[in-house]
């Protein structure tokens, strides 16, 4: 009896542990979903604000907003393209690693541009704009190169697969239309097959000759054949 109670107690503990584990997993997944939603919403708000600044401001403020907007757009597009492509092409993992290193420089530049938006000394900001533009162009240029290279690679694979598929379909279509193959032409100097009898002069067909049976007595004897015995009459 004590053994039964012990087993029941262990089962209750196991079920409780499984319930707690499932609850933690569900809560964690929900939290990650909420975090992603909040992050996406924050990015959308920031991008909208930057676009508004590029149109609503003049001078250094508008240029800083434009630099941040172009940087964020390029980096996000490249990140999405590489992460989507690496699931089908493992060779893109190295490209993704290079992009992660590039992302460190991109985040540092974005933070610097963001800090300069609040800088009251506009003259200092204007003096630093040429260098900031160059850094932004270098980072976005590298990001764009990775993104377009990944897209070109995927398109080349798709073109190769399509070419191979087209060749296979052409072979299959030819096999399905085998009855359309032309018959071999008659050889020169050889009359066409009209049933086995040549035409007589004047275009009239001669009647076939009668076929007579061979005389059994005139048959050619072969060494392996037995001599036929004469029939006897009683």
């Amino acid at each position: 009896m004590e053994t039964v109670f012990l087993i029941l107690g262990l089962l209750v503990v196991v079920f409780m542990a499984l319930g707690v584990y499932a609850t933690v997993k569900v809560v964690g997944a929900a939290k990650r979903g909420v975090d992603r939603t909040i992050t996406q919403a924050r990015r959308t708000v920031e991008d909208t604000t930057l676009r508004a600044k590029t149109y609503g401001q003049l001078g250094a403020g508008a240029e800083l907003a434009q630099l941040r907007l172009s940087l964020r757009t390029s980096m996000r597009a490249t990140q999405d393209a590489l992460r989507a492509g690496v699931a089908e092409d493992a060779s893109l993992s190295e490209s993704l690693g290079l992009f992660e290193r590039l992302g460190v420089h991109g985040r540092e530049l974005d933070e610097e541009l963001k800090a300069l938006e609040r800088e009251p000394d506009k003259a200092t900001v204007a003096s630093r704009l040429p260098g900031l533009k160059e850094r932004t162009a270098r980072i976005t240029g590298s990001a764009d190169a990775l993104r377009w290279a990944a897209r070109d690679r995927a398109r080349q694979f798709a073109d190769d697969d399509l070419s191979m598929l087209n060749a296979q379909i052409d072979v299959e279509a030819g096999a399905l239309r085998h009855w359309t193959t032309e018959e071999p032409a008659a050889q020169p100097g050889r009359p066409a097959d009209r049933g086995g009898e040549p035409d007589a002069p004047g275009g009239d067909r001669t009647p076939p000759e009668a076929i007579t049976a061979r005389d059994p007595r005139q048959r050619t004897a072969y060494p392996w054949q037995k001599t036929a015995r004469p029939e006897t009459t009683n």
Side-chain angles (χ1 to χ4, degrees), residues 50-68:
L50 290 174
R51 290 190 180 92
K53 289 181 179 180
T54 58
Y55 294 107
Q57 294 184 0
L58 298 175
E63 293 188 32
L64 290 173
Q66 182 60 47
L67 291 177
R68 289 191 64 197

Side-chain angles (χ1 to χ4, degrees), residues 39-111:
T39 301
Q40 293 175 357
R42 184 184 298 112
R43 288 176 178 174
T44 301
V45 171
E46 291 179 353
D47 291 346
T48 303
T49 302
L50 290 174
R51 290 190 180 92
K53 289 181 179 180
T54 58
Y55 294 107
Q57 294 184 0
L58 298 175
E63 293 188 32
L64 290 173
Q66 182 60 47
L67 291 177
R68 289 191 64 197
L69 185 61
S70 62
L71 176 65
R72 293 160 63 91
T73 302
S74 176
M75 297 296 286
R76 188 177 303 122
T78 303
Q79 176 179 278
D80 294 342
L82 292 178
R83 287 183 176 178
V86 75
E88 300 179 358
D89 187 359
S91 62
L92 291 179
S93 57
E94 184 175 356
S95 300
L96 186 59
L98 292 175
F99 173 76
E100 295 296 338
R101 293 173 57 188
L102 183 65
V104 175
H105 296 276
R107 286 188 292 272
E108 291 177 353
L109 177 59
D110 185 68
E111 291 296 330

Side-chain angles (χ1 to χ4, degrees), residues 2-16:
E2 294 179 357
T3 304
V4 174
F5 286 129
L6 179 60
I7 293 174
L8 291 176
L10 290 175
L11 290 175
V12 171
V13 172
V14 169
F15 286 140
M16 291 179 62

Side-chain angles (χ1 to χ4, degrees), residues 65 81 177 191:
R177 295 192 182 97

Side-chain angles (χ1 to χ4, degrees), residues 11-231:
L11 290 175
V12 171
V13 172
V14 169
F15 286 140
M16 291 179 62
L18 290 175
V20 172
Y21 176 78
T23 302
V24 171
K25 295 291 289 184
V26 170
V27 172
K31 184 178 183 299
R32 288 192 296 271
V34 172
D35 291 341
R36 284 194 298 268
T37 302
I38 294 175
T39 301
Q40 293 175 357
R42 184 184 298 112
R43 288 176 178 174
T44 301
V45 171
E46 291 179 353
D47 291 346
T48 303
T49 302
L50 290 174
R51 290 190 180 92
K53 289 181 179 180
T54 58
Y55 294 107
Q57 294 184 0
L58 298 175
E63 293 188 32
L64 290 173
Q66 182 60 47
L67 291 177
R68 289 191 64 197
L69 185 61
S70 62
L71 176 65
R72 293 160 63 91
T73 302
S74 176
M75 297 296 286
R76 188 177 303 122
T78 303
Q79 176 179 278
D80 294 342
L82 292 178
R83 287 183 176 178
V86 75
E88 300 179 358
D89 187 359
S91 62
L92 291 179
S93 57
E94 184 175 356
S95 300
L96 186 59
L98 292 175
F99 173 76
E100 295 296 338
R101 293 173 57 188
L102 183 65
V104 175
H105 296 276
R107 286 188 292 272
E108 291 177 353
L109 177 59
D110 185 68
E111 291 296 330
E112 185 175 352
L113 293 172
K114 187 177 181 180
L116 289 176
E117 287 180 341
R118 300 186 296 269
E119 175 61 43
D121 189 354
K122 302 303 179 183
T124 302
V125 174
S127 64
R128 298 187 59 182
L129 274 176
L132 295 172
K133 290 180 180 179
E134 181 182 358
R135 285 175 59 192
T136 304
R138 291 174 61 186
I139 294 175
T140 56
S142 296
D144 294 344
L146 283 175
R147 183 175 69 255
W148 283 110
R151 290 176 177 175
D152 291 343
R153 180 180 178 85
R155 184 171 58 254
Q156 183 62 42
F157 284 161
D159 291 342
D160 292 344
D161 184 69
L162 180 59
S163 298
M164 185 180 300
L165 179 60
N166 289 337
Q168 293 175 353
I169 290 175
D170 290 341
V171 173
E172 180 65 18
L176 293 176
R177 295 192 182 97
H178 62 87
W179 65 86
T180 61
T181 305
E182 296 181 357
E183 296 293 337
Q187 296 181 0
R190 187 174 181 179
D193 187 6
R194 297 183 179 178
E197 299 81 18
D199 292 343
D204 298 333
R205 179 173 298 180
T206 59
E209 297 179 358
I211 300 175
T212 57
R214 292 183 179 181
D215 187 353
R217 293 172 297 181
Q218 297 179 356
R219 291 181 180 175
T220 304
Y222 295 96
W224 57 83
Q225 290 181 337
K226 292 182 180 181
T227 304
R229 296 181 180 181
E231 296 181 359

